[in-house]
């Protein structure tokens, strides 16, 4: 969070003295680099311009391969040479992974360098579950006529990798048809370490003018360019010493036969990424992946934001493929749609080429393949999926308890109250400000007595004062990030003069864990959880409001090498610290602002400092969908917008949108008016209360979705193309989505004064209005127009779905654990439906020992059955997981008394004669209406069975005749 003026005197003095933060409500684009302002991007992006202007067939890659050598089963390497620098030795390696149905890993690095430098090669260590995943023993290779062809994957996939030796080109094919091509445009280039040769360069006319690096006088100008900033770079007042000189690399990846590519979060851009170059360019600069603290970001821009996941999906009606580019340095990506393919150009400041090709062939498999590599989101604490209330800042203990009480008075449920930076004395996180929070444990206990939790912020900047134990410990351990001269780096942030712990240094890990121990942090309890903000890292007086690139981390690596991983390292260690603070361990909750590939393993993220306006509300859906398809499923946006004072109408629409985000938190800037939902008069208060209560009623649906994602990495927010991968009309839709596999289709209302909304339907199934049970008959590729006054919004149930809900809403979700369920059954056009219900204790890891229930719910038109499902996936993947006993586990026994209190069936074509639950007749009420198999629109028929006498644990069946 960055802002104008906080309340505390120290913050006021800091901001006024440094004049660091803007006072106007707008992003300062000049604070962040464009491609033309980064020497590596200018140099390497220019190769594409040369290729574009060269006559057809005359621009060929200078890189070529020698014959391959086998390393082990599933792995081969080739000597790689550049005609530009024959003396420099490169190596190309291809691995076929054992898991993932045909994932290919391609790596290129410099070997036997004559300089003391090496390229950063540890991104995989932090992003992947296994730095070197197991290899396939069934892959085979044949080499002839200057080509190596690897055959791999399941026999049904018919996958192959064709490696052209000279000029270098690599093609992934399925059934002989190319789906991914590396170096099709000959844009791959890996700069090598060298000594600056001033005498060999042409005369430099200006700082920005490019010059040819000739060295031995070989003319390389047709391909390679350099500039005065190649070995030392100055931007504004900051100097980057660049001791290694040139170390950037670029690659081009082409996706034949597709028109849509998705991914590259985090950007405020459409889900289907528009062009950045060419005649149809939507943006004038490439998509940038460089985690920054950006003030009031634009609602539509390729500018970098807080997170960076270098993952791209390419999708067509016939196939889906993906690429994961394991690079953590500053990266720009150009996208261009041509008639025959989508072409991309990736340019990075440092690192090795380490690219994983995901074969698909459908979106579902891409999600699973990415989870095989980087891991899925583990099951979070159940309470964290409910409603969170935050602002910068709740002033003191009385304020916190007043907010807590007011929610109860207004009959609005609440699970978590948050405290921003002002809770800490002089922003020394861990140290409470005793003037305003004299007894934090008592305050937390009071909140926890209602089943609620609290979250406080712990940012990575540490106040540089010897009286602060965190600083003195870190200094003594020597685990602080260094400047290029080897001294501890100091910068400015909320604490004033600050230092940063180097979480790449393994010595910091056990120490950080100890900081959260309840015996060490005595003003904490196990009901207190953590918010990691500012971890890009944000440095107020640093270049691009971040850390100098020539800072040094453990292992001698420069910050430029690891920048995009930095926030994940902080997130990781904080999550592990919370796990370690209790025995037996409980699931952690840590919110992070910065993230990278693999961050999903450690907790939730949010989209940062958004604006409370209609434009940002409209843009959040696409951002969150992009996060979800890239594995970052536990994500949300500041409900209401962080900046500004939304009108009551806009605030209601924000809450409606927020209630259908996986992470549902209201948050606001310190300068905004208080906008807790209980503060408003009717009907606004009622609208806000109703939508929050709806979130609680639907918590079983959300927990089902989190559970599914924890097994295979599937998104919680599922875009249209992922649910219906063959419907081309839905490929660019990014303003509506499905919640897991529930069949619930949601669309936020994002236009002021909107009284109607349109929802696109792909499949030939009936859809039901969740609130009114109005039935829209089955008709594929139709657009429905729904009435959406401020009191409602589009929420549809797909025919064929069974929705488990809890109608009784209590003041916090943990208090609902014994409450009964209602099953809403929306029949398909053939009169059937299916669904699921997963439950565990919501806080522990006992589910890994079989302590849960998981029911498969099915209605075939005559019989409704609940049968236990076997949780196969964790059993096969997680060490120590035991076989699932559906009824004889302690959790199942604890909830054995919980009943199904009501069953509502929509769309039946007629009233049954009898209904028996496990042989006993039950009572029901039937209301005539439109049937699911008809062609008429209108109020659906509804059959309600009250108290059917069945529970959530045992298997049962209800027979209709």
């Amino acid at each position: 969070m960055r802002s104008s003026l906080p309340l505390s005197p120290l913050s006021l003095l800091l901001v006024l003295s440094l004049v660091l933060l803007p006072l106007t409500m707008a992003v300062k684009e000049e604070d962040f680099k464009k491609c033309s302002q980064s020497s590596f991007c200018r140099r390497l992006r220019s190769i594409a311009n040369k290729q574009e202007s060269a006559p057809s067939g005359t621009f060929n890659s200078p890189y070529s391969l020698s014959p391959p050598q086998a390393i082990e089963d599933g792995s081969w390497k080739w000597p790689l040479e550049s005609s530009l620098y024959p003396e420099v030795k490169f190596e190309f390696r291809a691995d076929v992974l054992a898991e993932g149905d045909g994932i290919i890993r391609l790596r290129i690095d410099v070997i036997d360098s004559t300089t003391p430098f090496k390229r950063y090669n540890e991104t995989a260590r932090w992003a992947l579950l296994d730095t070197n995943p197991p290899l396939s023993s069934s892959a085979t290779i044949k080499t002839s006529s200057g080509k190596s062809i690897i055959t791999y994957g399941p026999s049904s996939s018919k996958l192959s990798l064709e490696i052209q030796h000279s000029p270098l080109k690599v093609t992934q094919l399925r059934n002989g048809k190319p789906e991914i091509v590396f170096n099709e445009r000959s844009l791959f280039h890996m700069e090598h370490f060298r000594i600056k040769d001033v005498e060999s360069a042409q005369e430099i006319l200006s700082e920005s003018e490019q010059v040819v690096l000739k060295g031995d006088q070989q003319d390389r100008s047709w391909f390679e360019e350099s500039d005065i900033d190649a070995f030392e770079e100055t931007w504004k007042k900051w100097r980057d010493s660049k001791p290694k000189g040139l170390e950037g690399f670029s690659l081009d990846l082409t996706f034949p036969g597709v028109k849509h590519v998705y991914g590259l979060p985090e950007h405020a851009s459409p889900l289907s990424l528009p062009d950045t170059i060419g005649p149809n360019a939507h943006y004038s600069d490439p998509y940038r992946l460089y985690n920054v603290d950006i003030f009031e970001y634009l609602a539509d821009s390729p500018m970098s934001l807080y997170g960076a996941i270098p993952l791209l999906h390419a999708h067509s009606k016939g196939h889906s493929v993906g690429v994961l580019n394991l690079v953590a340095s500053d990266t720009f990506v150009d996208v261009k749609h041509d008639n025959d393919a989508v072409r991309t150009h990736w340019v990075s400041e440092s690192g090795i080429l380490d690219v994983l090709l995901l074969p698909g062939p459908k979106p579902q498999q891409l999600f699973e393949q990415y989870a095989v590599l980087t891991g899925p989101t583990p099951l979070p604490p159940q309470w964290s999926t409910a409603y969170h209330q935050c602002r910068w800042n709740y002033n003191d203990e009385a304020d916190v308890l007043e907010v807590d009480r007011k929610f109860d008075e207004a009959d609005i449920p609440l699970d978590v109250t948050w405290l921003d930076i002002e809770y800490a004395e002089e922003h020394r996180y861990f140290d409470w400000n005793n003037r305003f929070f004299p007894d934090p444990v008592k305050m937390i206990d009071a909140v926890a007595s209602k089943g609620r939790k609290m979250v406080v912020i712990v940012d990575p900047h540490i106040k540089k004062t010897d009286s602060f134990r965190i600083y003195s410990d870190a200094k003594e351990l020597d685990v602080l990030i260094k400047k290029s001269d080897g001294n501890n780096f100091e910068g400015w942030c909320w604490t004033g003069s600050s230092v940063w712990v180097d979480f790449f240094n393994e010595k910091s890990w056990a120490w950080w864990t100890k900081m959260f121990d309840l015996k060490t942090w005595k003003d904490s309890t196990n009901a207190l959880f953590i918010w990691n903000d500012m971890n890009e890292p944000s440095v107020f007086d640093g270049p691009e409001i971040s850390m100098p690139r020539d800072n040094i981390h453990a292992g001698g690596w420069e910050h430029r090498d690891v920048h995009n991983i930095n926030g994940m390292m902080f997130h990781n260690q904080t999550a592990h610290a919370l796990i370690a603070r209790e025995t037996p361990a409980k699931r952690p909750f840590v919110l992070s602002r910065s993230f990278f590939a693999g961050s999903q393993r450690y907790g939730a993220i949010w989209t940062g400092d958004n604006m409370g306006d209609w434009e940002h509300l409209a843009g959040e859906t696409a951002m969150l969908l992009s996060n979800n398809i890239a594995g970052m499923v536990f994500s949300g946006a500041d409900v209401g917008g962080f900046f500004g004072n939304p009108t009551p109408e806009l605030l209601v629409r924000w809450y409606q949108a927020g209630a259908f985000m996986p992470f549902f938190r209201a948050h606001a800037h310190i300068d905004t008016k208080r906008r807790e939902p209980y503060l408003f008069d009717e009907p606004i208060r009622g609208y806000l209360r109703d939508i929050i209560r709806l979130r609680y009623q639907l918590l079983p649906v959300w927990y089902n979705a989190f559970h599914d994602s924890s097994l295979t990495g599937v998104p919680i927010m599922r875009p249209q193309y992922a649910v219906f991968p063959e419907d081309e009309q839905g490929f660019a839709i990014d303003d509506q989505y499905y919640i897991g596999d529930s069949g619930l289709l949601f669309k936020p209302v994002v236009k002021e004064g909107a009284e109607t909304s349109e929802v696109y339907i792909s499949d030939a199934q009936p859809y039901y209005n969740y609130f009114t049970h109005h039935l829209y008959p089955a008709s594929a590729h139709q657009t429905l127009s729904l009435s959406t006054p401020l009191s409602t919004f589009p929420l549809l149930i797909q025919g064929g779905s069974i929705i488990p809900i809890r109608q009784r809403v209590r003041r916090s979700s943990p208090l609902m654990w014994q409450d009964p369920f209602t099953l809403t059954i929306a029949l398909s056009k053939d009169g059937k439906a299916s669904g699921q219900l997963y439950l565990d204790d919501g806080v522990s890891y006992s589910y890994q020992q079989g302590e849960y229930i998981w029911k498969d719910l099915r209605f075939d038109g005559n019989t409704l059955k609940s049968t236990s499902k076997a949780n196969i996936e964790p059993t096969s993947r997680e060490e120590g997981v035991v076989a699932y006993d559906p009824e004889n586990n302690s959790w199942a026994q604890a909830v054995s008394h919980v009943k199904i209190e009501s069953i509502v069936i929509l769309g039946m074509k007629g009233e049954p004669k009898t209904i028996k639950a496990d042989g006993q007749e039950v009572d029901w009420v039937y209301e005539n209406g439109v049937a699911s198999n008809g062609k008429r629109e209108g109020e659906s028929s509804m059959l309600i069975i009250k108290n059917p006498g069945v529970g959530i644990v045992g298997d049962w069946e209800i027979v209709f005749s």
Side-chain angles (χ1 to χ4, degrees):
M1 46 167 260
R2 296 180 62 241
S3 99
S4 47
L5 303 179
L7 291 179
S8 75
L10 179 65
S11 296
L12 180 60
L13 178 62
L14 172 65
V15 176
L16 290 177
S17 62
L18 295 177
V19 198
L20 293 172
L21 303 181
L23 299 178
T24 57
M25 303 290 274
V27 65
K28 296 183 69 175
E29 293 188 63
E30 64 273 18
D31 283 345
F32 305 98
K33 287 186 175 182
K34 296 183 182 295
C35 176
S36 61
Q37 296 170 308
S38 294
S39 65
F40 78 91
C41 193
R42 286 198 303 268
R43 292 193 305 272
L44 294 168
R45 198 186 190 207
S46 70
I47 301 174
N49 297 330
K50 294 176 180 294
Q51 188 270 345
E52 187 77 18
S53 61
S56 178
T58 65
F59 189 91
N60 293 316
S61 174
Y63 292 89
S64 59
L65 301 174
S66 298
Q69 306 164 22
I71 300 175
E72 56 183 302
D73 285 349
S75 180
W76 299 269
K77 64 181 180 181
W78 291 254
L80 175 64
E81 180 180 291
S82 168
S83 62
L84 300 177
Y85 298 96
E87 71 279 8
V88 181
K89 296 181 180 179
F90 300 90
E91 182 177 271
F92 173 80
R93 175 170 173 170
D95 295 341
V96 181
L97 306 192
E99 288 190 89
D101 294 335
I103 298 174
I104 289 284
R105 186 178 188 181
L106 305 177
R107 280 177 280 184
I108 297 177
D109 196 0
V110 176
I111 59 172
D112 300 330
S113 175
T114 58
T115 75
F117 306 127
K118 62 178 181 178
R119 307 183 73 91
Y120 184 71
N121 60 3
E122 295 188 357
T123 302
R125 177 184 177 188
W126 313 115
L128 302 186
L129 288 174
D130 188 338
T131 305
N132 292 294
L135 303 178
S136 169
S137 59
S138 61
T140 61
I141 189 170
K142 291 183 179 180
T143 298
S144 64
S145 304
K147 286 184 180 180
S148 298
I149 299 177
I150 302 174
T151 303
Y152 59 97
S155 57
S156 59
S157 299
K158 297 183 179 179
L159 291 169
S160 61
L161 194 75
E162 182 180 285
I163 303 168
Q164 178 180 287
H165 294 182
S166 182
L168 173 65
K169 184 170 77 169
V170 182
T171 306
Q172 177 189 287
L173 305 99
R174 184 183 296 272
N175 293 316
K177 184 177 179 180
E179 294 184 338
I180 306 175
V181 187
F182 164 70
N183 210 32
E184 179 219 35
R185 292 189 285 162
S186 298
L187 305 185
F188 166 69
H189 185 40
M190 181 167 281
E191 296 178 331
H192 66 280
F193 303 125
R194 65 189 92 179
I195 305 301
K196 183 178 181 182
D197 189 351
V198 177
E199 291 76 21
S200 69
Q202 295 176 357
E203 183 180 359
I204 299 170
L205 301 180
S206 70
E207 285 193 358
S208 61
E209 185 166 339
Q210 294 180 332
V211 297
V212 179
L213 281 175
K214 292 197 173 182
D216 57 5
Q217 299 305 309
Q218 178 182 349
D219 182 9
R220 304 180 180 95
S221 61
W222 66 274
F223 190 83
E224 183 182 63
E225 291 186 355
S226 185
D227 57 36
I228 192 173
D229 295 328
F231 298 93
E232 180 178 296
E233 191 161 357
T234 300
W235 185 67
K236 294 189 173 182
K237 67 178 182 179
W238 295 281
R239 172 184 168 271
D240 181 1
S241 63
K242 301 175 74 169
K244 296 182 184 180
L246 296 90
E247 55 178 321
F249 72 97
S250 65
L251 64 149
D252 66 273
L253 293 166
T254 299
F255 304 95
V258 307
K259 295 181 180 178
H260 296 271
V261 292
Y262 312 97
L264 301 181
E266 184 177 41
H267 293 99
S269 63
L271 176 64
S272 179
L273 297 173
D275 287 353
T276 60
I277 53 174
N280 300 314
H282 181 69
Y283 301 121
S284 58
D285 221 47
Y287 298 98
R288 190 183 183 197
L289 296 171
Y290 190 72
N291 297 353
V292 293
D293 176 0
I294 190 164
F295 184 83
E296 296 178 330
Y297 56 83
L298 298 173
D300 184 13
S301 171
M303 292 178 68
S304 52
L305 293 179
Y306 312 95
I309 300 180
L311 174 75
L312 195 70
H313 288 184
H315 180 68
S316 73
K317 185 177 181 179
H319 74 282
S320 295
V321 291
V323 293
L324 173 61
N325 183 11
L326 289 178
V327 59
S329 63
D330 193 1
T331 297
F332 290 85
V333 185
D334 273 314
V335 172
K336 184 173 184 288
H337 292 71
D338 294 320
N339 291 333
D340 61 333
V342 175
R343 291 177 167 84
T344 65
H345 185 201
W346 306 59
V347 173
S348 299
E349 183 175 19
S350 67
I352 66 169
L353 186 145
D354 191 350
V355 173
L356 293 121
L357 310 182
L358 312 184
K362 296 294 183 184
Q364 175 73 23
Q365 287 75 50
L366 290 181
F367 305 139
E368 295 172 359
Q369 288 154 5
Y370 183 71
V372 162
L373 295 171
T374 66
T377 297
L379 269 174
Q382 181 275 330
W383 52 263
S384 68
T385 69
Y387 177 64
H388 302 244
Q389 181 64 48
C390 183
R391 78 171 277 111
W392 178 27
N393 208 77
Y394 290 119
N395 300 321
D396 50 32
E397 289 181 8
D399 195 8
V400 169
L401 298 178
E402 176 76 356
V403 169
D404 187 76
R405 183 178 63 83
K406 287 289 189 179
F407 269 87
D408 291 341
E409 288 182 358
D411 197 24
I412 302 174
L414 170 68
D415 267 59
V416 193
T417 305
W418 292 55
L419 291 176
D420 212 314
I421 59 175
E422 309 303 334
Y423 84 92
E425 181 71 32
E426 296 182 330
H427 303 144
R428 298 193 311 252
Y429 313 110
F430 296 99
D431 284 1
W432 292 80
N433 187 326
N434 291 328
R435 291 171 295 168
F436 303 110
F437 298 94
D439 196 344
V441 170
K442 182 179 179 181
M443 175 187 66
I444 297 166
D445 287 346
V447 171
S449 68
K450 302 176 182 180
R452 292 170 177 157
K453 309 293 185 293
M454 291 196 69
V455 170
V456 297
I457 209 163
V458 175
D459 282 351
H461 46 272
I462 296 172
K463 187 172 183 64
K464 183 180 177 292
T465 177
D466 288 332
S467 63
F468 185 32
R469 62 188 173 90
I470 306 297
Y471 171 69
S472 57
D473 280 1
K475 185 174 65 170
E476 183 178 342
L477 275 173
D478 192 25
V479 292
L480 296 174
I481 295 173
K482 310 296 183 185
K483 295 190 295 184
S484 59
D485 63 8
N487 293 312
N488 290 335
F489 169 73
E490 297 176 22
W492 284 84
C493 205
W494 293 119
T495 56
S497 182
S498 306
V499 295
W500 280 258
V501 173
D502 181 9
F503 286 102
F504 292 91
N505 188 330
E506 295 185 17
K507 290 192 302 181
S508 70
W509 298 352
W511 165 75
W512 192 248
T513 295
K514 184 180 178 182
M515 293 303 100
F516 290 87
D517 188 287
L518 299 179
K519 294 178 182 178
T520 303
W521 192 10
K522 295 181 180 179
D523 287 335
S524 174
T525 82
N526 58 10
L528 185 68
F529 294 83
I530 302 301
W531 175 10
N532 288 161
D533 195 2
M534 315 293 282
N535 53 332
E536 292 74 29
S538 175
V539 183
F540 289 166
D541 60 342
E544 301 193 87
I545 317 176
S546 195
M547 192 168 283
R549 299 179 188 222
D550 56 2
N551 276 3
I552 303 298
H553 292 265
W557 299 115
E558 290 184 280
H559 185 73
R560 79 181 79 251
D561 301 319
V562 300
H563 175 85
N564 287 345
I565 308 175
N566 182 82
M568 180 172 74
M569 299 299 292
F570 186 48
H571 195 191
N572 177 1
Q573 294 308 316
T574 304
H576 278 94
L578 293 192
I579 294 171
R581 73 180 178 179
E582 291 186 75
T583 303
K586 298 289 180 63
R587 301 176 215 172
F589 175 81
V590 183
L591 180 74
S592 173
R593 190 170 70 177
S594 179
F595 58 93
F596 187 67
S599 286
Q600 68 273 8
R601 303 195 296 268
Y602 309 122
I605 64 97
W606 91 108
T607 59
D609 297 350
N610 59 356
M611 294 286 293
D613 58 29
W614 290 99
E615 188 178 16
H616 277 76
L617 172 60
E620 294 290 355
T621 301
M623 291 179 67
L624 294 172
L625 288 174
S626 182
N627 286 340
N628 266 253
I629 66 169
M632 205 66 242
V633 301
F634 199 2
S635 56
D638 281 346
V639 172
F642 182 61
F643 294 104
N645 294 300
T647 64
E649 178 193 0
L650 177 55
L651 188 64
V652 169
R653 294 307 192 190
W654 264 109
Y655 266 87
Q656 291 169 352
F660 287 87
M661 297 174 186
F663 175 55
F664 180 23
R665 182 186 73 157
H667 187 35
H669 185 276
I670 201 167
D671 290 341
T672 63
K673 297 177 182 178
R674 294 287 283 257
R675 43 171 130 117
E676 287 74 18
Y678 55 75
L679 292 174
F680 295 86
D681 294 331
E682 297 294 348
I684 300 301
R685 182 195 297 186
Y687 296 155
L688 298 176
R689 178 176 55 241
D690 289 349
I691 187 58
I692 296 173
R693 290 175 65 87
L694 177 62
R695 171 66 170 226
Y696 279 72
Q697 291 172 335
L698 291 173
L699 283 177
V701 171
W702 288 98
Y703 206 53
N704 283 345
F706 272 99
H707 177 246
D708 285 347
S709 188
S710 75
L711 299 182
T712 62
V714 292
I716 290 175
M717 295 171 61
R718 299 187 184 178
Q720 204 75 19
Y721 88 90
V723 180
F724 302 103
E726 297 182 3
D727 179 17
E728 293 179 297
Q729 295 183 44
F731 290 175
I733 291 177
D734 59 9
D735 59 356
Q736 62 182 56
Y737 53 92
Y738 290 80
I739 308 300
D741 72 347
S742 66
L744 285 177
L745 174 59
F746 168 73
K747 179 174 182 174
V749 180
V750 297
K751 293 183 179 180
E752 186 174 10
E755 294 287 331
T756 60
S757 299
E758 293 187 339
V759 180
Y760 175 72
I761 303 297
S762 285
D763 55 330
Q765 287 292 350
Y767 276 74
Y768 303 76
N769 185 306
Y770 180 88
F771 304 106
T772 67
H773 299 159
H774 189 91
L775 186 154
Y776 300 90
S779 177
H781 315 304
Q782 64 172 320
T783 299
L784 304 179
S785 181
L786 280 67
S787 175
T788 53
L790 190 55
S791 59
T792 192
F793 51 89
L795 182 61
L796 301 174
I797 311 176
Q798 180 188 35
S801 304
I802 299 179
I803 310 293
I805 60 176
R806 276 178 153 148
Q807 296 281 19
R808 304 177 193 180
V809 175
R810 301 187 185 272
R811 56 189 176 185
S812 69
S813 66
L815 302 180
M816 298 169 65
W817 74 280
Q818 298 183 85
D819 287 341
F821 284 81
T822 291
L823 300 181
T824 298
I825 303 174
L827 298 182
S828 66
K829 63 182 178 183
D830 57 1
K832 299 179 180 180
S834 63
Q836 64 170 322
L837 176 62
Y838 174 85
L839 290 172
D840 57 33
D841 67 20
V843 293
S844 77
Y845 289 97
S846 295
Y847 69 91
Q848 295 180 353
Q849 306 302 319
E851 299 285 336
Y852 59 88
I853 63 169
W854 191 16
K855 311 301 290 189
D856 180 75
L857 307 170
R858 291 189 181 274
F859 181 65
D860 64 6
N862 299 308
T863 304
L864 173 63
K865 291 185 177 182
S866 174
T867 57
S868 295
K869 299 180 73 169
N871 201 342
I872 299 298
E873 197 69 23
T875 304
S876 64
R877 281 201 188 166
E878 296 182 21
E879 185 178 351
V881 176
V882 300
Y884 167 53
D885 188 334
E887 297 181 30
N888 297 314
N889 66 74
S890 59
W891 170 250
Q893 293 167 2
V895 294
S896 61
H897 61 289
V898 177
K899 301 297 183 183
I900 305 294
E901 67 175 348
S902 180
I903 298 171
V904 179
I905 304 179
L906 306 176
M908 294 190 79
K909 60 184 178 182
E911 183 176 6
K913 295 179 179 178
T914 62
I915 303 176
K916 294 183 177 180
D918 289 336
Q920 301 295 316
E921 289 195 12
V922 298
D923 295 328
W924 73 91
V925 175
Y926 180 79
E927 297 179 9
N928 198 22
V930 176
S932 65
N933 63 345
K935 297 182 179 180
R936 189 162 58 91
E937 178 183 329
E939 195 79 10
S940 73
S941 66
M942 181 167 61
L943 185 144
I944 302 175
I945 305 172
K946 294 186 176 180
N947 299 316
V950 296
I952 63 170
V953 174
D955 292 353
W956 49 261
E957 67 176 28
I958 298 175
V959 179
F960 299 73
S961 62

